[in-house]
Amino acid sequence: MKLHFDHALVARLLAHAQAASEHSPTYDQLVDPAFFKAGVSSRHPTGADVDRTKIPAGLMLVGDNGIYLMSNGYPILGDPDGHGSLVAYASEADPRTRPDDWYDVKRASFGGDDGAEFLSADTIRKALEATVGSRLWIDVTPARISCPYLASPQKNRSGRPDGGSGKACSE
């Protein structure tokens, strides 16, 4: 299901993530030894076991009370109202504007379980570039996440670029 996000707000979230020197991990990153502090070998790591400087910049696609994107930059980018992190809700799954059907959209696209998926800064940047002048979209199913990107220009037989095409990149 294609979910649509405010382009400018997603760009702001990405800028925060890229400017941060430390990043918050998703659950998958929390248990990945590649992100542990030196000397940690726990089978049940906690946030204190993770070296936040090893987590790459990006956004988290979160499914819980709606579906939204948030920066993984640490410290968090606060919501102007002072209620936690600033987030970009999918317009189709925003409980503030769609109180009667956001949950059905969340289940159909993200699945019944809550969670967060990491989307790299490069992936989000390419998706933003591919959707300039419109809303950013991300196609989300319980099994796959894809987003638009601009392919590198292909050269034709004469060696001249043919131009980029909109394609989907998978996470």
Side-chain angles (χ1 to χ4, degrees):
M1 169 180 293
K2 270 191 184 173
L3 301 175
H4 298 86
F5 300 85
D6 179 275
H7 202 274
L9 182 52
V10 173
R12 182 175 173 199
L13 297 173
L14 178 61
H16 174 263
Q18 290 179 306
S21 59
E22 295 184 16
H23 301 92
S24 298
T26 62
Y27 179 76
D28 288 342
Q29 292 168 327
L30 177 70
V31 299
D32 185 338
F35 301 119
F36 290 176
K37 291 178 180 174
V40 172
S41 61
S42 174
R43 291 181 52 168
H44 302 287
T46 67
D49 297 323
V50 172
D51 181 345
R52 291 178 184 265
T53 64
K54 292 181 180 180
I55 305 292
L59 301 184
M60 292 184 211
L61 178 67
V62 180
D64 61 13
N65 189 26
I67 299 175
Y68 53 88
L69 291 167
M70 64 183 286
S71 169
N72 76 337
Y74 182 83
I76 67 166
L77 177 59
D79 181 276
D81 296 331
H83 298 107
S85 294
L86 180 64
V87 301
Y89 277 100
S91 59
E92 299 83 356
D94 184 343
R96 302 167 306 171
T97 59
R98 300 189 69 147
D100 297 330
D101 62 355
W102 71 264
Y103 183 73
D104 294 330
V105 172
K106 189 260 184 196
R107 282 186 56 94
S109 59
F110 199 88
D113 293 334
D114 292 351
E117 296 294 330
F118 176 77
L119 302 175
S120 71
D122 189 52
T123 294
I124 296 298
R125 182 187 50 75
K126 288 176 182 177
L128 287 167
E129 290 171 357
T131 57
V132 168
S134 63
R135 292 183 303 166
L136 170 75
W137 61 264
I138 299 176
D139 193 5
V140 180
T141 71
R144 184 177 65 82
I145 299 169
S146 62
C147 57
Y149 77 100
L150 295 174
S152 299
Q154 302 294 316
K155 295 196 179 195
N156 61 25
R157 289 184 205 182
S158 66
R160 290 189 215 135
D162 284 333
S165 61
K167 298 189 177 185
C169 60
S170 295
E171 277 293 317

